[in-house]
Amino acid sequence: MTEFSVWAPDAIRVRLRLAGDTDHEMHTAADGWWQVDVPDAGPDYSFLLNDDETPLPDPRSPWQPAGVHGPSRRYDHAAYAWSDSAWTGRQLPGSILYELHIGTFTPDGTFDAAIDRLDHLVSLGVDLIELLPINAFNGEHNWGYDGVCWYAPHEPYGGPDGLKRFVDAAHARGLGVILDVVYNHFGPSGAYAPQFGPYLAEQSNSWGRSVNLDGPHSDEVRRYIIDSVLMWLRDYHVDGLRLDAVHALPDTRAIPLLEELAIEVESLSTHLGRPLSLIAESDLNDPRLITPREAGGFGLHAQWNDDAHHALHTLLTGERQGYYGDFGSLETLSDVLTGGFFHAGTWSSFRNRHHGRPLDSRVPGHRLVAYLQNHDQIGNRATGDRISASLSPSLLRVGAVLLLTAPFTPMLFMGEEWAASTPWQFFTSHPEPELATAVRNGRRREFASHGWPEGDVPDPQDPETFVRSRLDWAELDKPEHASMLSFYQRLIALRRSTSDLSDPRMHEVSVQHGDQFLVMRRGDTLVVANFAGRGQGVSLPGVARRVLLATEEGVTVMRDRIQLPAETAAIVAL
């Protein structure tokens, strides 16, 4: 016998449809659930609500081989033969993250093709791979944030077995895997779960209606999310999750969903005997997210830190538009390096109000994920241009040094390590003409309001926009890209071998700055950066013993003074 169940609290009738249009009446169980046992059931199934004859996929479908509009397919997690029994996990503290998109990481855009590039990541020296969302969405290619099946890996990527092969192969090479997951909204096409029950709230966010976390029947909606989280960690052996835009999860309950997730994941981690990480994306600058529960916080392990990105990006590029307006000075970068947040109860001109709250000085910096580039900060630019399109190689190396020696958890975006020239543009493949037109026109209107001619904004629906965003691995054969990769490898190796450079104690960091230069002290190690287009000498807070790494030739030290060529950084041992 095979048991089928589905939550549909407002339905008066639910039927199970199997292959051959064979229908089975389901009976009510507890708390709005419907259930039926069927002998000799085939793999594919759908549900019919009330007297509607439209078959709908399972909201908890583990597999959608015919796409998000097709029938669900049963999947036996126990049938996969894992080879990672010796895997003990990767903790977030001390690790380096590498964000990638399966569809554009390789020409084939599959889990299996990505496996062939894992050795590159090993040689680079990263610890954890962060995959952009891989749950099923309508169409062939997409960033992943339009997902509608929160339990099913995207079939064109390789489906459930493909994801397991990728995780298994990563673990065999000592690499952990983190999944980016989206629980703040459903995508615009193929979201059938709300037809089954009150999954959505009345209020909306930037992407559509919010998820019902605190209204009537929200217990089951929260369970729907929690069970999805536990499934990825337990059944797919992933090592952590990045929770997309948690500020778009309205929740007034006494125990917020995020805290509930932290509790359940901690329990699962204890059972599995390996660390499991929850990383929030949040623009609130609210320390409660990463404060332990016993100290009154939510107990998440880390959050993305846009302030660190903005402080570095503006200083390196000179850009000041939009939300960059408050950034761009050495004082701003100093505040971030020593305090984590820049907006910490301070005035935000972009928001036209005060924003954020200070971090306790005892909060370790590894709870903040920092980056020079990520999918948002590149892809949400009009043309999807990387920072390497506007910066000199020398300034790129300066930025890399500051990122990888700061007291945070650093994250690289795919191709950053060789200064990839390929853009990362916003692409979609919505089959519905009306939706495709709306996305295309919305994108053009958005950037037209910022002064971009409509013709300069890539069409998200044009297949070439997707193709342009693929990494070009042949670039590694070119001297300028190979040289950048070699530098990143040496820098990461130095971070790994020098305890000062991974020390997460922000209150132990001291920063001095002057005329376009900055000196950051990390224990007995100094990081000195010259942003100027000219060489200059910088006084040091101690006697230098030797230069551990320099971004350019020509760096010289004379006891307590260092001479740096233009646009150069050096790491110095005292």
Side-chain angles (χ1 to χ4, degrees), residues 272-323:
L272 296 177
R274 58 184 173 91
L276 302 173
S277 301
L278 290 176
I279 304 171
E281 181 205 17
S282 172
D283 69 356
L284 300 178
N285 283 17
D286 185 350
R288 287 173 293 185
L289 288 173
I290 54 176
T291 298
R293 287 186 296 110
E294 54 268 31
F298 291 177
L300 301 182
H301 302 94
Q303 74 150 85
W304 278 26
N305 186 9
D306 276 349
D307 282 9
H309 169 270
H310 300 348
L312 282 169
H313 181 91
T314 52
L315 195 59
L316 292 167
T317 66
E319 294 183 6
R320 299 291 187 276
Q321 72 277 14
Y323 49 71

Side-chain angles (χ1 to χ4, degrees), residues 71-294:
S72 299
R73 179 168 293 177
R74 293 187 293 122
Y75 181 80
D76 182 6
H77 281 290
Y80 183 85
W82 288 94
S83 63
D84 67 347
S85 60
W87 176 249
T88 56
R90 280 285 176 272
Q91 67 170 12
L92 194 64
S95 289
I96 297 174
L97 278 61
Y98 187 95
E99 188 186 31
L100 68 87
H101 177 262
I102 286 294
T104 53
F105 187 57
T106 65
D108 290 340
T110 65
F111 295 122
D112 288 331
I115 289 172
D116 293 336
R117 294 294 180 180
L118 291 179
D119 289 340
H120 167 82
L121 302 184
V122 172
S123 68
L124 176 60
V126 301
D127 304 283
L128 289 161
I129 304 164
E130 183 172 309
L131 299 181
L132 268 71
I134 53 81
N135 55 300
F137 55 82
N138 196 26
E140 287 290 318
H141 48 262
N142 188 297
W143 276 17
Y145 297 92
D146 287 333
V148 292
C149 299
W150 292 358
Y151 288 69
H154 191 48
E155 186 65 14
Y157 290 167
D161 278 358
L163 176 57
K164 289 184 176 182
R165 287 192 297 269
F166 178 84
V167 174
D168 213 8
H171 288 173
R173 292 163 173 81
L175 298 168
V177 178
I178 291 174
L179 289 188
D180 191 339
V181 289
V182 184
Y183 296 123
N184 52 56
H185 75 288
F186 288 96
S189 177
Y192 293 106
Q195 295 188 35
F196 286 82
Y199 285 87
L200 300 177
E202 290 302 318
Q203 65 264 51
S204 297
N205 55 42
S206 302
W207 308 283
R209 286 178 62 186
S210 300
V211 177
N212 172 25
L213 299 180
D214 53 10
H217 295 294
S218 59
D219 283 0
E220 285 294 346
V221 177
R222 292 161 75 98
R223 195 71 242 172
Y224 179 69
I225 295 173
I226 293 168
D227 287 348
S228 171
V229 164
L230 298 179
M231 177 206 66
W232 295 121
L233 298 169
R234 179 191 61 237
D235 299 332
Y236 285 94
H237 292 203
V238 303
D239 302 281
L241 300 175
R242 181 260 195 190
L243 306 170
D244 180 67
V246 300
H247 50 270
L249 291 170
D251 185 359
T252 60
R253 291 172 61 160
I255 300 179
L257 172 69
L258 295 176
E259 183 178 356
E260 198 171 351
L261 286 175
I263 293 169
E264 299 242 9
V265 168
E266 181 180 44
S267 176
L268 180 62
S269 174
T270 302
H271 172 67
L272 296 177
R274 58 184 173 91
L276 302 173
S277 301
L278 290 176
I279 304 171
E281 181 205 17
S282 172
D283 69 356
L284 300 178
N285 283 17
D286 185 350
R288 287 173 293 185
L289 288 173
I290 54 176
T291 298
R293 287 186 296 110
E294 54 268 31

Side-chain angles (χ1 to χ4, degrees), residues 95-99 130 180 242-245 247 279-285 302-317 323-324 327 333 336-337 340-341 351 365-378 387 396 398-414 416 488 495:
S95 289
I96 297 174
L97 278 61
Y98 187 95
E99 188 186 31
E130 183 172 309
D180 191 339
R242 181 260 195 190
L243 306 170
D244 180 67
H247 50 270
I279 304 171
E281 181 205 17
S282 172
D283 69 356
L284 300 178
N285 283 17
Q303 74 150 85
W304 278 26
N305 186 9
D306 276 349
D307 282 9
H309 169 270
H310 300 348
L312 282 169
H313 181 91
T314 52
L315 195 59
L316 292 167
T317 66
Y323 49 71
Y324 292 150
F327 297 86
L333 180 58
V336 169
L337 292 171
F341 294 146
R351 299 173 179 87
H366 63 67
R367 292 187 191 160
L368 298 175
V369 176
Y371 30 82
L372 267 176
Q373 304 180 71
N374 66 34
H375 73 276
D376 268 335
Q377 299 301 335
I378 302 172
I387 197 172
L396 284 176
V398 171
V401 166
L402 291 170
L403 171 68
L404 286 157
T405 61
F408 312 127
T409 296
M411 183 179 75
L412 309 179
F413 183 68
M414 61 178 192
E416 176 180 342
Y488 266 84
R495 182 183 190 272

Side-chain angles (χ1 to χ4, degrees), residues 457-520:
V457 180
D459 178 0
Q461 286 287 123
D462 184 350
E464 285 302 310
T465 303
F466 167 69
V467 171
R468 280 193 298 271
S469 299
R470 287 177 178 155
L471 284 180
D472 178 8
W473 288 89
E475 288 186 330
L476 288 175
D477 295 327
K478 299 178 180 178
E480 64 272 25
H481 295 291
S483 173
M484 185 66 73
L485 174 60
S486 175
F487 174 76
Y488 266 84
Q489 290 170 327
R490 288 182 286 123
L491 176 58
I492 290 172
L494 179 62
R495 182 183 190 272
R496 192 178 302 279
S497 64
T498 307
S499 60
D500 286 343
L501 300 182
S502 57
D503 188 337
R505 293 175 292 179
M506 287 186 289
H507 66 277
E508 294 288 338
V509 178
S510 63
V511 177
Q512 304 171 15
H513 53 83
D515 181 16
Q516 293 185 275
F517 72 84
L518 177 144
V519 181
M520 174 173 59

